Amino acid sequence: MTGLPNKRWIGAPIPRRDGPAKVTGTAPYAFEQPVSNPLYLHLVQATIARGQVTVIDTTAAEALDGVVLVMTHENAPRLASDTDKELWVLQSVEVAFRGQIIAAVLAEHPEIAHHAAGLIRVGYQQQPHDVDLRADRDDLYPPEILMGGGHPDTTHGDVEAALMSAAVTLDATYTTPMEHHNPMEPHTTVAIWTDEGLTLYESTQAPFRIRAAVASSFGLDERRVRVVCPHVGGGFGSKAFPHASVILAAMAAHCARGRPVKLSLTRQQMFSLASYRTPTIQRVQLGADTSGRLTAIAHDVVEQTARIKEFAEPTAVATRMMYAAPNRRTTHRLAALDLPVPSIMRAPGECPGMFGLEVAMDEMAIACGMDPIEFRIRNEPDVDPESGLPFTSRNLAVCLREGAHRFDWKGRDPTPRARRNYGWLIGTGVASSTYPVFRMPGSTAKIRVSADGRYTVAIAAVDIGTGTWTALAQIAADALHVSLEDVELQIGDSALPRASQAGAASGITSWGSAIVDAALTLLTRLERDHGGQVPQEGLEVIGATPDNPYAEFYAMHSFGAQFAEVRVHEDTGEVRVPRLLGIFAAGRVINAKTGHSQLLGGMTMGLSMALHENSVLDPRFGHVINHDLAEYHIATSADIGSVEVDWLDEEDPYVNPMGSKGLGELGIVGTAAAIDNAIYHATGIRIRELPITADKLLR
Ligand code: MOS
């Protein structure tokens, strides 16, 4: 692999190129795409968690002025493929979860569609449902593979024997709740079906995945489906996969015969139709010798999936590579429940799993009488304990030490309840962060240079608010050895050269590598065929993401250390977090401004996870009762104190030509554990169940 020698733009804090359009309201999000004479779609959702629709009376809705069509399982177009049951919308009487789409109204105005949807009368044959996630269920099963491809179970050595003979042991169970994605822009589709094919303006992280799902659902040639997404108002994983709403909108567009159909999920509908982070129950067992060296690590996870479609959160996967111990075990078991389908949410696996592991590490450090930073450093592995491969770079210890220095950790009295100020107990905590470096196959980029020296870079990448519009232009400018102003970028359209998703923190690695490949081809061709001069007619080349030749020889991960200072009120249990500090080692950061924002956003979301986020399920009805932003609390400015973000100048020549490792997920990993550990230090109360609410501190 050729690294990029010239790094003039990479690393610079270039302001977002799409910033002016966004702040002036001229950046078109999916729902705002100007289309002529649209119709509006509104959904009707099942009010039972399991059973069948026996009768559905649409007479009153259809009689309403402005209603064009009421779609139910009785009259909806038949879909071509039922391989994905989540997308099998309006095809049968079966109800598999509360909130499932059972009808939809297409009308001239959104208000009419909404009103008409409320006039539809539905009768059900109800069956008993089961939405109870417990670790002692007798029907738990191991999935064949975890999301991301990992095996559900791994074992090295003899964990039980090592735990029996360990000088110090810990056996604790940690739980994380169901959490919902709440990007500012909801899941939205504008669908137009004409003789030429289907165009979708979609709020998505993965236009090619949407295209493939829609084409397969309708038996269409993929070339007849176009997905356009120039600006996306946030995406934490729910927009990385297609959900039923896009299929429904396409279906309605088919019925609308050329008229555009607009569908935007309401915030409440997002809680049943846009996936969620699965709740987890994690038993962590650790054993250590008298010097604080881990001899055994076991992480056994029980988590939820849906009856109609399996999703296996890779919760304990990070535990496989974080710390050294000769005896190791991880397992994942699923309960298939009558609930909506879970999916990926910012750092799926690492985020909930590192809550369990990093709180356990804090508890174990205390049990060993060691400082939690020194305990982690003592258990640093020389190589990836799972694969035996060396790390391309692993600077966890450097992050921990640098953070400790900036956080004045040295003078910290480890005794709980040692600091108090006017009724507030004060504590500090630390936890590690990590995330793998993923490279998705199959991205291609086209670069065209015109005689006037302008470069156009085209790739169907997506900017979900992360800074793609700017970062990819920076990579192209450095790869082409030109000024940033000379590079025009085209992204957000499946008509552009194929690209992988904005997800798994893989975008910059995958797309950037394709752009660098195209740039090298262009420079070679210019030199070889045109004497270094751009020909009059210009020159155009295609590049692709190459396989990483180092992938089979190295383990590739980013790392970080997060520090939290908390105040807990002795009388009320109120928790404040005046200070968070994150020091990260994630290779080269492409854009210091947008990269900083990504990590800051991740840590903010981590604080939100620690203290607030919790989708409360009513087991009697099988639905999330706090299904809006009034009751599903997300951290706002008032909840956030100082959040400091910094990173090491990490050189990693093996991950990709840019030397970058990805920042989208790393920031949220470990934050909740750092806060939890700080709360223990402040109060002496160990909370093993997220979120950490006041009631738990007053028990
Ligand atoms: Mo990220 S959970 O892959 O959008």
Side-chain angles (χ1 to χ4, degrees), residues 517-546:
D517 184 62
L520 291 174
T521 306
L522 185 80
L523 295 180
T524 307
R525 292 257 318 265
L526 279 177
E527 205 55 51
R528 191 191 65 198
D529 303 341
H530 304 281
Q533 294 298 310
V534 179
Q536 204 47 47
E537 68 279 11
L539 187 61
E540 185 175 297
V541 301
I542 295 270
T545 312

Side-chain angles (χ1 to χ4, degrees), residues 181 205 235-240 344-348 435 464 501-505 664-665:
H181 309 78
Q205 299 171 231
F236 303 106
S238 68
K239 294 176 183 174
I344 62 171
M345 183 166 159
R346 203 171 200 165
Y435 197 75
I464 58 174
Q501 65 174 348
E665 330 262 343

Side-chain angles (χ1 to χ4, degrees), residues 191-224:
I192 310 163
W193 196 312
T194 66
D195 291 341
E196 281 83 67
L198 177 62
T199 301
L200 299 165
Y201 297 100
E202 176 76 7
S203 181
T204 181
Q205 299 171 231
F208 277 86
R209 212 177 260 149
I210 296 286
R211 190 177 84 154
V214 170
S216 123
S217 289
F218 293 93
L220 287 173
D221 186 326
E222 285 195 9
R223 285 168 300 190
R224 294 188 63 214

Side-chain angles (χ1 to χ4, degrees), residues 620-687:
R620 296 169 303 167
F621 303 105
H623 80 309
V624 172
I625 51 176
N626 57 337
H627 58 171
D628 56 42
L629 292 181
E631 295 188 71
Y632 182 94
H633 192 73
I634 288 172
T636 61
S637 299
D639 298 304
I640 305 295
S642 159
V643 185
E644 295 155 69
V645 173
D646 208 348
W647 50 80
L648 312 179
D649 273 327
E650 187 179 70
E651 287 289 340
D652 190 322
Y654 305 110
V655 282
N656 57 48
M658 296 77 66
S660 64
K661 286 180 170 179
L663 300 175
E665 330 262 343
L666 181 63
I668 196 175
V669 180
T671 320
I675 291 171
D676 196 278
N677 297 341
I679 287 172
Y680 174 79
H681 184 227
T683 64
I685 302 169
R686 180 63 72 177
I687 306 293

Side-chain angles (χ1 to χ4, degrees), residues 416-428 565-578 611 638-639 678-679 681-684 694 697-698:
R417 304 180 72 90
R419 284 171 71 199
R420 177 181 315 223
N421 190 8
Y422 293 104
W424 292 90
L425 298 166
I426 301 165
T428 52
E565 179 187 328
V566 303
R567 286 158 194 259
V568 182
H569 200 277
E570 270 189 294
D571 300 328
T572 66
E574 182 185 353
V575 179
R576 307 298 302 170
V577 184
L611 302 183
D639 298 304
I679 287 172
H681 184 227
T683 64
L697 291 160
L698 291 174

